Amino acid sequence: MELTHRPRRLRRTGPVRSLIRETELCPQHLIYPIFVTKGEHVRDPINTMPGQFRLSIDEVVQECEILLKLGVGAVNLFGYSPEKDETGKFAWDTEGLIPRCVRALKVVHPEVCVQTDVALDPYTTHGHDGLVFGGEIVNDETVEALCQMALCHAEAGADWIAPSDMMDGRVGAIREALDANGFANTGILAYSAKYASCFYGPFRGALGSAPKSDAAPKDKKTYQMDPANVREALKEVALDIEEGADVVMVKPALAYLDVIRAVREEFDVPVAAYNVSGEYAMVCAAAEKGWVEKDRALLEILFSIRRAGADMILSYFAKDAATLLREQYGKFA
Ligand code: PBG
């Protein structure tokens, strides 16, 4: 048979495949999400996320040392707060877990890119990211609270503030508050296109933050996006860029690879994607049953997110992936 094109010629050996590989994945592209809890020497296993822990501040500091050695230079911090109320005020307590953790990290590892989640859900009794008045998640009052939370994290030394709440206008308001208070160098990683997804289940288990009050909606559909939409994602991203976001995020990642691609093609800003807890848990569960090979699955997933167009990826697999990538570095595959 005489064929002009034989694409298989470029798949014959490891070195040839390496020459034509189109996408790169490095530990430096990854951001490790960490759950911070109180106490000392605490590594509290999260049962919905095998291999992940709620860590006390001293353990977070140690974890960062391991991450840096692996080539992962960024963490995203979430607070585990048993103290909750209707106002979410523990979210901007300067002696709260997150500000203390940021300060401790900055003393020992000043170069780590410390990102902090800004949303009220770990700190409210009803589990919503915003304030609830009369059964509704109110926007503008929430934005004021988020600005206080962002300032509290910036004062502690956070490099990037990461608002994950999906309130309207919060990026602009946070930018203004930061600038007015001398934090012009603090960046904003905006959760711009965040969908109302079932894949956050294990995370909500880890923080005890599932929406739970009778006086408020049981889901987050009035602020997080409908999974059926993509044009709306582009609008959200455009608004966040206009309001001053430094990096925009699509979340979750796997069921939204087309959204990542669309954002990448439409805008010239760095794009982040969040490989969320449910995506992590599914791989762990299938691997536990022997149905997929965990190491191959997690790299394949992270590659797909990079291929879709993400510059950086938040992933609970960051440590595993960095370890594997370092083992494989310089080898032909
Ligand atoms: C809440 C928040 C959530 C996640 C990050 N920030 C959950 C939610 O919106 O209910 C999910 C992360 C994950 O599932 O890994 N502000």
Side-chain angles (χ1 to χ4, degrees):
M1 211 173 24
E2 274 186 47
L3 284 177
T4 312
H5 298 287
R6 288 188 181 272
R8 288 186 55 195
R9 275 200 290 262
L10 297 183
R11 293 179 207 135
R12 283 170 54 85
T13 64
V16 170
R17 288 190 291 271
S18 302
L19 285 173
I20 66 153
R21 190 153 297 130
E22 298 174 30
T23 311
E24 247 195 321
L25 172 67
C26 308
Q28 288 78 4
H29 295 131
L30 303 172
I31 300 164
Y32 190 49
I34 297 182
F35 301 99
V36 189
T37 193
K38 64 177 168 202
E40 245 183 285
H41 310 305
V42 180
R43 292 184 73 84
D44 184 13
I46 299 169
N47 59 15
T48 49
M49 301 172 70
Q52 303 301 314
F53 302 83
R54 296 180 203 92
L55 301 178
S56 54
I57 292 173
D58 55 316
E59 294 284 330
V60 176
V61 172
Q62 278 187 28
E63 196 78 359
C64 280
E65 190 159 330
I66 298 170
L67 289 165
L68 282 172
K69 284 197 180 124
L70 286 170
V72 178
V75 292
N76 197 299
L77 305 179
F78 294 94
Y80 175 65
S81 176
E83 283 133 353
K84 302 174 195 276
D85 71 5
E86 296 288 305
T87 70
K89 66 171 182 286
F90 298 104
W92 55 88
D93 175 0
T94 48
E95 283 311 308
L97 266 180
I98 295 297
R100 276 176 25 228
C101 187
V102 174
R103 288 194 289 266
L105 268 176
K106 282 291 161 188
V107 171
V108 188
H109 305 296
E111 73 278 34
V112 171
C113 177
V114 178
Q115 312 169 4
T116 57
D117 189 70
V118 165
L120 302 185
D121 51 317
Y123 307 94
T124 52
T125 34
H126 44 68
H128 279 289
D129 295 25
L131 299 170
V132 175
F133 295 167
E136 264 193 50
I137 295 90
V138 291
N139 195 86
D140 301 6
E141 293 83 350
T142 298
V143 170
E144 282 176 35
L146 296 172
C147 286
Q148 296 197 61
M149 189 177 182
L151 276 180
C152 163
H153 295 176
E155 272 163 19
D159 295 275
W160 290 0
I161 302 300
S164 68
D165 53 282
M166 288 300 279
M167 295 300 124
D168 294 333
R170 90 284 201 212
V171 170
I174 290 173
R175 183 70 271 158
E176 210 178 303
L178 291 174
D179 290 347
N181 287 277
F183 299 109
N185 288 331
T186 309
I188 300 180
L189 163 62
Y191 285 64
S192 302
K194 176 170 176 182
Y195 288 85
S197 168
C198 74
F199 294 111
Y200 309 147
F203 171 100
R204 291 177 187 173
L207 288 188
S209 64
K212 46 189 160 301
S213 151
D214 285 336
K218 290 282 192 302
D219 60 50
K220 300 190 175 182
K221 289 181 187 171
T222 68
Y223 45 109
Q224 298 181 349
M225 285 177 47
D226 182 341
N229 295 354
V230 63
R231 287 195 304 266
E232 190 186 0
L234 298 178
K235 177 175 178 174
E236 285 281 7
V237 168
L239 288 172
D240 283 358
I241 294 172
E242 221 175 276
E243 291 177 31
D246 297 283
V247 182
V248 296
M249 193 200 294
V250 174
K251 173 186 176 189
L254 267 193
Y256 301 88
L257 292 175
D258 60 318
V259 181
I260 298 172
R261 165 64 27 199
V263 170
R264 166 77 297 145
E265 282 177 5
E266 184 100 359
F267 302 99
D268 280 328
V269 299
V271 177
Y274 200 142
N275 177 215
V276 298
S277 58
E279 299 170 344
Y280 174 84
M282 282 196 297
V283 173
C284 293
E288 226 171 84
K289 286 191 174 280
W291 292 346
V292 297
E293 289 175 50
K294 185 172 168 189
D295 291 353
R296 291 184 61 196
L298 70 92
L299 287 181
E300 195 169 326
I301 285 169
L302 293 173
F303 261 106
S304 77
I305 300 169
R306 286 276 298 155
R307 196 186 64 237
D311 297 290
M312 61 195 94
I313 308 172
L314 287 94
S315 178
Y316 304 98
F317 286 127
K319 264 166 71 183
D320 304 282
T323 307
L324 290 166
L325 291 168
R326 287 174 74 89
E327 277 165 18
Q328 294 171 10
Y329 185 75
K331 299 196 179 126
F332 298 111

mmCIF file of all heavy atoms in Angstrom, residues 222-267:
data_model
loop_
_atom_site.group_PDB
_atom_site.id
_atom_site.type_symbol
_atom_site.label_atom_id
_atom_site.label_comp_id
_atom_site.label_asym_id
_atom_site.label_seq_id
_atom_site.Cartn_x
_atom_site.Cartn_y
_atom_site.Cartn_z
ATOM 1 N N THR A 222 -27.988 30.339 42.762
ATOM 2 C CA THR A 222 -28.259 31.766 42.496
ATOM 3 C C THR A 222 -26.979 32.573 42.344
ATOM 4 O O THR A 222 -27.029 33.755 41.990
ATOM 5 C CB THR A 222 -29.150 32.431 43.577
ATOM 6 O OG1 THR A 222 -28.422 32.503 44.802
ATOM 7 C CG2 THR A 222 -30.446 31.661 43.785
ATOM 8 N N TYR A 223 -25.817 31.950 42.640
ATOM 9 C CA TYR A 223 -24.570 32.695 42.360
ATOM 10 C C TYR A 223 -23.569 31.906 41.530
ATOM 11 O O TYR A 223 -22.860 32.480 40.715
ATOM 12 C CB TYR A 223 -23.942 33.273 43.640
ATOM 13 C CG TYR A 223 -23.842 32.389 44.867
ATOM 14 C CD1 TYR A 223 -22.614 31.908 45.291
ATOM 15 C CD2 TYR A 223 -24.963 32.069 45.624
ATOM 16 C CE1 TYR A 223 -22.503 31.129 46.448
ATOM 17 C CE2 TYR A 223 -24.869 31.282 46.769
ATOM 18 C CZ TYR A 223 -23.624 30.814 47.172
ATOM 19 O OH TYR A 223 -23.527 30.038 48.289
ATOM 20 N N GLN A 224 -23.484 30.596 41.693
ATOM 21 C CA GLN A 224 -22.585 29.817 40.832
ATOM 22 C C GLN A 224 -23.302 29.514 39.516
ATOM 23 O O GLN A 224 -24.527 29.482 39.443
ATOM 24 C CB GLN A 224 -22.177 28.530 41.550
ATOM 25 C CG GLN A 224 -21.419 28.835 42.840
ATOM 26 C CD GLN A 224 -20.967 27.593 43.587
ATOM 27 O OE1 GLN A 224 -21.376 26.468 43.277
ATOM 28 N NE2 GLN A 224 -20.142 27.792 44.599
ATOM 29 N N MET A 225 -22.510 29.273 38.453
ATOM 30 C CA MET A 225 -23.093 29.212 37.110
ATOM 31 C C MET A 225 -23.747 27.875 36.750
ATOM 32 O O MET A 225 -23.386 26.823 37.257
ATOM 33 C CB MET A 225 -22.013 29.520 36.071
ATOM 34 C CG MET A 225 -21.658 30.987 35.989
ATOM 35 S SD MET A 225 -20.340 31.239 34.803
ATOM 36 C CE MET A 225 -20.931 30.277 33.446
ATOM 37 N N ASP A 226 -24.665 27.944 35.818
ATOM 38 C CA ASP A 226 -25.342 26.779 35.263
ATOM 39 C C ASP A 226 -24.352 25.992 34.388
ATOM 40 O O ASP A 226 -23.751 26.558 33.470
ATOM 41 C CB ASP A 226 -26.507 27.298 34.407
ATOM 42 C CG ASP A 226 -27.330 26.190 33.793
ATOM 43 O OD1 ASP A 226 -26.844 25.038 33.711
ATOM 44 O OD2 ASP A 226 -28.464 26.490 33.370
ATOM 45 N N PRO A 227 -24.169 24.686 34.674
ATOM 46 C CA PRO A 227 -23.218 23.881 33.892
ATOM 47 C C PRO A 227 -23.494 23.855 32.388
ATOM 48 O O PRO A 227 -22.630 23.471 31.602
ATOM 49 C CB PRO A 227 -23.381 22.470 34.483
ATOM 50 C CG PRO A 227 -23.853 22.700 35.872
ATOM 51 C CD PRO A 227 -24.715 23.942 35.813
ATOM 52 N N ALA A 228 -24.659 24.293 31.983
ATOM 53 C CA ALA A 228 -24.983 24.268 30.548
ATOM 54 C C ALA A 228 -24.413 25.458 29.787
ATOM 55 O O ALA A 228 -24.517 25.510 28.564
ATOM 56 C CB ALA A 228 -26.508 24.227 30.373
ATOM 57 N N ASN A 229 -23.824 26.432 30.490
ATOM 58 C CA ASN A 229 -23.474 27.700 29.824
ATOM 59 C C ASN A 229 -21.982 27.894 29.572
ATOM 60 O O ASN A 229 -21.155 27.558 30.407
ATOM 61 C CB ASN A 229 -23.972 28.873 30.669
ATOM 62 C CG ASN A 229 -25.487 28.900 30.743
ATOM 63 O OD1 ASN A 229 -26.158 28.108 30.075
ATOM 64 N ND2 ASN A 229 -26.029 29.767 31.554
ATOM 65 N N VAL A 230 -21.699 28.489 28.402
ATOM 66 C CA VAL A 230 -20.319 28.882 28.113
ATOM 67 C C VAL A 230 -20.196 30.366 27.745
ATOM 68 O O VAL A 230 -19.250 31.028 28.144
ATOM 69 C CB VAL A 230 -19.657 27.955 27.053
ATOM 70 C CG1 VAL A 230 -20.383 28.056 25.708
ATOM 71 C CG2 VAL A 230 -18.190 28.314 26.860
ATOM 72 N N ARG A 231 -21.173 30.909 27.031
ATOM 73 C CA ARG A 231 -21.114 32.359 26.717
ATOM 74 C C ARG A 231 -21.098 33.171 28.004
ATOM 75 O O ARG A 231 -20.385 34.168 28.129
ATOM 76 C CB ARG A 231 -22.334 32.770 25.874
ATOM 77 C CG ARG A 231 -22.300 32.288 24.437
ATOM 78 C CD ARG A 231 -23.336 33.046 23.602
ATOM 79 N NE ARG A 231 -24.683 32.930 24.153
ATOM 80 C CZ ARG A 231 -25.579 32.023 23.770
ATOM 81 N NH1 ARG A 231 -25.294 31.163 22.818
ATOM 82 N NH2 ARG A 231 -26.775 31.984 24.322
ATOM 83 N N GLU A 232 -21.881 32.692 28.975
ATOM 84 C CA GLU A 232 -21.954 33.400 30.243
ATOM 85 C C GLU A 232 -20.586 33.402 30.945
ATOM 86 O O GLU A 232 -20.230 34.355 31.643
ATOM 87 C CB GLU A 232 -23.014 32.722 31.120
ATOM 88 C CG GLU A 232 -23.365 33.478 32.363
ATOM 89 C CD GLU A 232 -24.321 32.686 33.258
ATOM 90 O OE1 GLU A 232 -24.705 31.542 32.914
ATOM 91 O OE2 GLU A 232 -24.666 33.217 34.325
ATOM 92 N N ALA A 233 -19.822 32.334 30.741
ATOM 93 C CA ALA A 233 -18.484 32.254 31.345
ATOM 94 C C ALA A 233 -17.599 33.348 30.764
ATOM 95 O O ALA A 233 -16.837 34.005 31.482
ATOM 96 C CB ALA A 233 -17.875 30.880 31.099
ATOM 97 N N LEU A 234 -17.704 33.564 29.457
ATOM 98 C CA LEU A 234 -16.885 34.594 28.813
ATOM 99 C C LEU A 234 -17.257 35.981 29.332
ATOM 100 O O LEU A 234 -16.395 36.840 29.524
ATOM 101 C CB LEU A 234 -17.037 34.518 27.293
ATOM 102 C CG LEU A 234 -16.565 33.182 26.675
ATOM 103 C CD1 LEU A 234 -16.807 33.185 25.172
ATOM 104 C CD2 LEU A 234 -15.090 32.932 26.977
ATOM 105 N N LYS A 235 -18.530 36.171 29.600
ATOM 106 C CA LYS A 235 -18.973 37.454 30.148
ATOM 107 C C LYS A 235 -18.397 37.649 31.551
ATOM 108 O O LYS A 235 -17.868 38.713 31.880
ATOM 109 C CB LYS A 235 -20.504 37.495 30.184
ATOM 110 C CG LYS A 235 -21.027 38.758 30.809
ATOM 111 C CD LYS A 235 -22.539 38.834 30.736
ATOM 112 C CE LYS A 235 -23.003 40.123 31.422
ATOM 113 N NZ LYS A 235 -24.436 40.313 31.269
ATOM 114 N N GLU A 236 -18.484 36.617 32.381
ATOM 115 C CA GLU A 236 -17.942 36.707 33.748
ATOM 116 C C GLU A 236 -16.444 37.012 33.719
ATOM 117 O O GLU A 236 -15.946 37.816 34.506
ATOM 118 C CB GLU A 236 -18.190 35.388 34.504
ATOM 119 C CG GLU A 236 -19.628 35.186 34.968
ATOM 120 C CD GLU A 236 -19.937 35.987 36.234
ATOM 121 O OE1 GLU A 236 -19.089 36.791 36.658
ATOM 122 O OE2 GLU A 236 -21.032 35.807 36.795
ATOM 123 N N VAL A 237 -15.734 36.340 32.819
ATOM 124 C CA VAL A 237 -14.288 36.549 32.716
ATOM 125 C C VAL A 237 -13.994 37.982 32.270
ATOM 126 O O VAL A 237 -13.136 38.663 32.839
ATOM 127 C CB VAL A 237 -13.655 35.522 31.748
ATOM 128 C CG1 VAL A 237 -12.220 35.915 31.415
ATOM 129 C CG2 VAL A 237 -13.704 34.118 32.352
ATOM 130 N N ALA A 238 -14.741 38.462 31.262
ATOM 131 C CA ALA A 238 -14.526 39.826 30.765
ATOM 132 C C ALA A 238 -14.730 40.838 31.888
ATOM 133 O O ALA A 238 -13.942 41.770 32.061
ATOM 134 C CB ALA A 238 -15.480 40.107 29.603
ATOM 135 N N LEU A 239 -15.784 40.639 32.684
ATOM 136 C CA LEU A 239 -16.064 41.570 33.780
ATOM 137 C C LEU A 239 -14.934 41.553 34.813
ATOM 138 O O LEU A 239 -14.476 42.596 35.276
ATOM 139 C CB LEU A 239 -17.387 41.199 34.472
ATOM 140 C CG LEU A 239 -18.659 41.485 33.677
ATOM 141 C CD1 LEU A 239 -19.881 40.893 34.388
ATOM 142 C CD2 LEU A 239 -18.833 42.986 33.482
ATOM 143 N N ASP A 240 -14.469 40.350 35.151
ATOM 144 C CA ASP A 240 -13.410 40.264 36.170
ATOM 145 C C ASP A 240 -12.119 40.914 35.680
ATOM 146 O O ASP A 240 -11.411 41.560 36.454
ATOM 147 C CB ASP A 240 -13.162 38.804 36.576
ATOM 148 C CG ASP A 240 -14.241 38.290 37.517
ATOM 149 O OD1 ASP A 240 -15.146 39.078 37.864
ATOM 150 O OD2 ASP A 240 -14.183 37.108 37.919
ATOM 151 N N ILE A 241 -11.814 40.761 34.401
ATOM 152 C CA ILE A 241 -10.603 41.398 33.860
ATOM 153 C C ILE A 241 -10.755 42.921 33.923
ATOM 154 O O ILE A 241 -9.869 43.633 34.375
ATOM 155 C CB ILE A 241 -10.319 40.925 32.417
ATOM 156 C CG1 ILE A 241 -9.972 39.427 32.415
ATOM 157 C CG2 ILE A 241 -9.190 41.737 31.788
ATOM 158 C CD1 ILE A 241 -9.852 38.818 31.028
ATOM 159 N N GLU A 242 -11.936 43.378 33.512
ATOM 160 C CA GLU A 242 -12.224 44.814 33.562
ATOM 161 C C GLU A 242 -12.085 45.357 34.984
ATOM 162 O O GLU A 242 -11.618 46.465 35.210
ATOM 163 C CB GLU A 242 -13.677 44.992 33.112
ATOM 164 C CG GLU A 242 -13.964 46.154 32.219
ATOM 165 C CD GLU A 242 -15.428 46.063 31.802
ATOM 166 O OE1 GLU A 242 -15.707 45.322 30.826
ATOM 167 O OE2 GLU A 242 -16.291 46.694 32.457
ATOM 168 N N GLU A 243 -12.511 44.549 35.948
ATOM 169 C CA GLU A 243 -12.482 44.996 37.348
ATOM 170 C C GLU A 243 -11.102 44.857 37.979
ATOM 171 O O GLU A 243 -10.908 45.233 39.131
ATOM 172 C CB GLU A 243 -13.497 44.187 38.169
ATOM 173 C CG GLU A 243 -14.936 44.502 37.832
ATOM 174 C CD GLU A 243 -15.929 43.621 38.603
ATOM 175 O OE1 GLU A 243 -15.618 43.213 39.734
ATOM 176 O OE2 GLU A 243 -17.002 43.325 38.051
ATOM 177 N N GLY A 244 -10.151 44.260 37.240
ATOM 178 C CA GLY A 244 -8.788 44.224 37.771
ATOM 179 C C GLY A 244 -8.252 42.865 38.174
ATOM 180 O O GLY A 244 -7.243 42.791 38.890
ATOM 181 N N ALA A 245 -8.883 41.777 37.720
ATOM 182 C CA ALA A 245 -8.336 40.449 38.051
ATOM 183 C C ALA A 245 -6.987 40.257 37.354
ATOM 184 O O ALA A 245 -6.832 40.630 36.191
ATOM 185 C CB ALA A 245 -9.308 39.362 37.597
ATOM 186 N N ASP A 246 -6.022 39.687 38.071
ATOM 187 C CA ASP A 246 -4.714 39.406 37.471
ATOM 188 C C ASP A 246 -4.724 38.062 36.746
ATOM 189 O O ASP A 246 -4.079 37.889 35.719
ATOM 190 C CB ASP A 246 -3.640 39.382 38.559
ATOM 191 C CG ASP A 246 -3.515 40.736 39.220
ATOM 192 O OD1 ASP A 246 -2.908 41.624 38.612
ATOM 193 O OD2 ASP A 246 -4.062 40.921 40.338
ATOM 194 N N VAL A 247 -5.447 37.115 37.331
ATOM 195 C CA VAL A 247 -5.552 35.766 36.759
ATOM 196 C C VAL A 247 -7.025 35.375 36.846
ATOM 197 O O VAL A 247 -7.683 35.672 37.848
ATOM 198 C CB VAL A 247 -4.705 34.753 37.574
ATOM 199 C CG1 VAL A 247 -4.780 33.362 36.958
ATOM 200 C CG2 VAL A 247 -3.253 35.212 37.683
ATOM 201 N N VAL A 248 -7.549 34.726 35.813
ATOM 202 C CA VAL A 248 -8.945 34.282 35.858
ATOM 203 C C VAL A 248 -8.992 32.758 35.934
ATOM 204 O O VAL A 248 -8.106 32.077 35.431
ATOM 205 C CB VAL A 248 -9.755 34.776 34.638
ATOM 206 C CG1 VAL A 248 -9.843 36.288 34.641
ATOM 207 C CG2 VAL A 248 -9.152 34.267 33.331
ATOM 208 N N MET A 249 -10.013 32.255 36.588
ATOM 209 C CA MET A 249 -10.080 30.806 36.785
ATOM 210 C C MET A 249 -11.372 30.206 36.262
ATOM 211 O O MET A 249 -12.422 30.847 36.296
ATOM 212 C CB MET A 249 -9.974 30.495 38.277
ATOM 213 C CG MET A 249 -9.709 29.016 38.563
ATOM 214 S SD MET A 249 -10.130 28.526 40.213
ATOM 215 C CE MET A 249 -8.971 29.430 41.176
ATOM 216 N N VAL A 250 -11.245 28.974 35.760
ATOM 217 C CA VAL A 250 -12.411 28.174 35.408
ATOM 218 C C VAL A 250 -12.441 27.009 36.395
ATOM 219 O O VAL A 250 -11.437 26.380 36.673
ATOM 220 C CB VAL A 250 -12.312 27.630 33.966
ATOM 221 C CG1 VAL A 250 -13.476 26.683 33.669
ATOM 222 C CG2 VAL A 250 -12.277 28.773 32.960
ATOM 223 N N LYS A 251 -13.634 26.721 36.897
ATOM 224 C CA LYS A 251 -13.757 25.692 37.929
ATOM 225 C C LYS A 251 -15.116 25.051 37.862
ATOM 226 O O LYS A 251 -16.098 25.798 37.777
ATOM 227 C CB LYS A 251 -13.542 26.353 39.293
ATOM 228 C CG LYS A 251 -13.800 25.469 40.480
ATOM 229 C CD LYS A 251 -13.703 26.258 41.746
ATOM 230 C CE LYS A 251 -14.062 25.340 42.897
ATOM 231 N NZ LYS A 251 -14.197 26.033 44.134
ATOM 232 N N PRO A 252 -15.274 23.720 37.950
ATOM 233 C CA PRO A 252 -14.213 22.719 37.922
ATOM 234 C C PRO A 252 -13.470 22.704 36.576
ATOM 235 O O PRO A 252 -13.762 23.495 35.694
ATOM 236 C CB PRO A 252 -14.982 21.404 38.113
ATOM 237 C CG PRO A 252 -16.327 21.772 38.626
ATOM 238 C CD PRO A 252 -16.598 23.138 38.102
ATOM 239 N N ALA A 253 -12.559 21.740 36.427
ATOM 240 C CA ALA A 253 -11.752 21.682 35.210
ATOM 241 C C ALA A 253 -12.261 20.639 34.215
ATOM 242 O O ALA A 253 -12.510 20.940 33.044
ATOM 243 C CB ALA A 253 -10.288 21.397 35.555
ATOM 244 N N LEU A 254 -12.437 19.407 34.694
ATOM 245 C CA LEU A 254 -12.627 18.290 33.752
ATOM 246 C C LEU A 254 -13.880 18.352 32.904
ATOM 247 O O LEU A 254 -13.828 18.118 31.700
ATOM 248 C CB LEU A 254 -12.614 16.967 34.516
ATOM 249 C CG LEU A 254 -11.265 16.277 34.623
ATOM 250 C CD1 LEU A 254 -11.456 14.858 35.109
ATOM 251 C CD2 LEU A 254 -10.512 16.314 33.311
ATOM 252 N N ALA A 255 -15.003 18.681 33.534
ATOM 253 C CA ALA A 255 -16.239 18.737 32.761
ATOM 254 C C ALA A 255 -16.356 20.072 32.017
ATOM 255 O O ALA A 255 -17.364 20.346 31.359
ATOM 256 C CB ALA A 255 -17.445 18.512 33.675
ATOM 257 N N TYR A 256 -15.310 20.921 32.130
ATOM 258 C CA TYR A 256 -15.359 22.279 31.565
ATOM 259 C C TYR A 256 -14.124 22.605 30.726
ATOM 260 O O TYR A 256 -13.732 23.763 30.612
ATOM 261 C CB TYR A 256 -15.539 23.287 32.717
ATOM 262 C CG TYR A 256 -16.810 22.987 33.484
ATOM 263 C CD1 TYR A 256 -16.796 22.090 34.558
ATOM 264 C CD2 TYR A 256 -18.036 23.509 33.084
ATOM 265 C CE1 TYR A 256 -17.969 21.746 35.222
ATOM 266 C CE2 TYR A 256 -19.211 23.178 33.733
ATOM 267 C CZ TYR A 256 -19.170 22.296 34.804
ATOM 268 O OH TYR A 256 -20.334 21.954 35.434
ATOM 269 N N LEU A 257 -13.537 21.578 30.121
ATOM 270 C CA LEU A 257 -12.329 21.805 29.318
ATOM 271 C C LEU A 257 -12.622 22.742 28.143
ATOM 272 O O LEU A 257 -11.765 23.532 27.741
ATOM 273 C CB LEU A 257 -11.776 20.470 28.810
ATOM 274 C CG LEU A 257 -11.196 19.528 29.883
ATOM 275 C CD1 LEU A 257 -10.799 18.196 29.271
ATOM 276 C CD2 LEU A 257 -10.005 20.156 30.593
ATOM 277 N N ASP A 258 -13.840 22.655 27.611
ATOM 278 C CA ASP A 258 -14.208 23.548 26.503
ATOM 279 C C ASP A 258 -14.261 25.002 26.959
ATOM 280 O O ASP A 258 -13.958 25.919 26.193
ATOM 281 C CB ASP A 258 -15.572 23.131 25.913
ATOM 282 C CG ASP A 258 -16.679 23.195 26.953
ATOM 283 O OD1 ASP A 258 -16.440 22.773 28.109
ATOM 284 O OD2 ASP A 258 -17.778 23.685 26.639
ATOM 285 N N VAL A 259 -14.640 25.201 28.220
ATOM 286 C CA VAL A 259 -14.714 26.560 28.752
ATOM 287 C C VAL A 259 -13.296 27.114 28.916
ATOM 288 O O VAL A 259 -13.022 28.271 28.580
ATOM 289 C CB VAL A 259 -15.479 26.581 30.105
ATOM 290 C CG1 VAL A 259 -15.566 28.012 30.636
ATOM 291 C CG2 VAL A 259 -16.869 25.982 29.945
ATOM 292 N N ILE A 260 -12.391 26.279 29.415
ATOM 293 C CA ILE A 260 -10.984 26.696 29.547
ATOM 294 C C ILE A 260 -10.455 27.119 28.178
ATOM 295 O O ILE A 260 -9.826 28.159 28.008
ATOM 296 C CB ILE A 260 -10.116 25.546 30.122
ATOM 297 C CG1 ILE A 260 -10.592 25.164 31.524
ATOM 298 C CG2 ILE A 260 -8.634 25.927 30.137
ATOM 299 C CD1 ILE A 260 -9.913 23.913 32.095
ATOM 300 N N ARG A 261 -10.729 26.288 27.186
ATOM 301 C CA ARG A 261 -10.270 26.565 25.821
ATOM 302 C C ARG A 261 -10.852 27.890 25.295
ATOM 303 O O ARG A 261 -10.161 28.726 24.738
ATOM 304 C CB ARG A 261 -10.650 25.369 24.926
ATOM 305 C CG ARG A 261 -10.614 25.531 23.434
ATOM 306 C CD ARG A 261 -9.288 25.799 22.778
ATOM 307 N NE ARG A 261 -8.098 25.296 23.458
ATOM 308 C CZ ARG A 261 -6.867 25.742 23.223
ATOM 309 N NH1 ARG A 261 -6.672 26.657 22.305
ATOM 310 N NH2 ARG A 261 -5.852 25.255 23.878
ATOM 311 N N ALA A 262 -12.153 28.087 25.537
ATOM 312 C CA ALA A 262 -12.814 29.306 25.041
ATOM 313 C C ALA A 262 -12.216 30.543 25.716
ATOM 314 O O ALA A 262 -11.963 31.556 25.046
ATOM 315 C CB ALA A 262 -14.325 29.226 25.306
ATOM 316 N N VAL A 263 -11.968 30.457 27.014
ATOM 317 C CA VAL A 263 -11.388 31.592 27.736
ATOM 318 C C VAL A 263 -9.977 31.860 27.216
ATOM 319 O O VAL A 263 -9.590 33.001 26.966
ATOM 320 C CB VAL A 263 -11.382 31.325 29.264
ATOM 321 C CG1 VAL A 263 -10.570 32.384 30.004
ATOM 322 C CG2 VAL A 263 -12.807 31.280 29.803
ATOM 323 N N ARG A 264 -9.203 30.766 27.044
ATOM 324 C CA ARG A 264 -7.839 30.917 26.533
ATOM 325 C C ARG A 264 -7.815 31.638 25.186
ATOM 326 O O ARG A 264 -6.973 32.480 24.933
ATOM 327 C CB ARG A 264 -7.204 29.514 26.438
ATOM 328 C CG ARG A 264 -5.941 29.372 25.652
ATOM 329 C CD ARG A 264 -4.702 29.880 26.390
ATOM 330 N NE ARG A 264 -4.803 31.316 26.641
ATOM 331 C CZ ARG A 264 -4.331 31.933 27.720
ATOM 332 N NH1 ARG A 264 -3.734 31.253 28.658
ATOM 333 N NH2 ARG A 264 -4.454 33.235 27.870
ATOM 334 N N GLU A 265 -8.773 31.273 24.308
ATOM 335 C CA GLU A 265 -8.770 31.854 22.968
ATOM 336 C C GLU A 265 -9.254 33.296 22.942
ATOM 337 O O GLU A 265 -8.816 34.079 22.128
ATOM 338 C CB GLU A 265 -9.587 30.975 22.017
ATOM 339 C CG GLU A 265 -8.762 29.764 21.623
ATOM 340 C CD GLU A 265 -9.476 28.765 20.735
ATOM 341 O OE1 GLU A 265 -10.618 29.015 20.315
ATOM 342 O OE2 GLU A 265 -8.867 27.706 20.472
ATOM 343 N N GLU A 266 -10.124 33.614 23.871
ATOM 344 C CA GLU A 266 -10.741 34.949 23.843
ATOM 345 C C GLU A 266 -9.927 36.021 24.580
ATOM 346 O O GLU A 266 -10.003 37.197 24.229
ATOM 347 C CB GLU A 266 -12.139 34.840 24.465
ATOM 348 C CG GLU A 266 -12.939 36.115 24.412
ATOM 349 C CD GLU A 266 -13.964 36.132 23.287
ATOM 350 O OE1 GLU A 266 -14.043 35.145 22.534
ATOM 351 O OE2 GLU A 266 -14.668 37.147 23.172
ATOM 352 N N PHE A 267 -9.156 35.636 25.586
ATOM 353 C CA PHE A 267 -8.495 36.646 26.433
ATOM 354 C C PHE A 267 -6.989 36.405 26.534
ATOM 355 O O PHE A 267 -6.527 35.272 26.443
ATOM 356 C CB PHE A 267 -9.106 36.629 27.842
ATOM 357 C CG PHE A 267 -10.574 36.873 27.858
ATOM 358 C CD1 PHE A 267 -11.464 35.811 27.945
ATOM 359 C CD2 PHE A 267 -11.079 38.167 27.759
ATOM 360 C CE1 PHE A 267 -12.836 36.027 27.950
ATOM 361 C CE2 PHE A 267 -12.438 38.387 27.763
ATOM 362 C CZ PHE A 267 -13.322 37.324 27.851
#
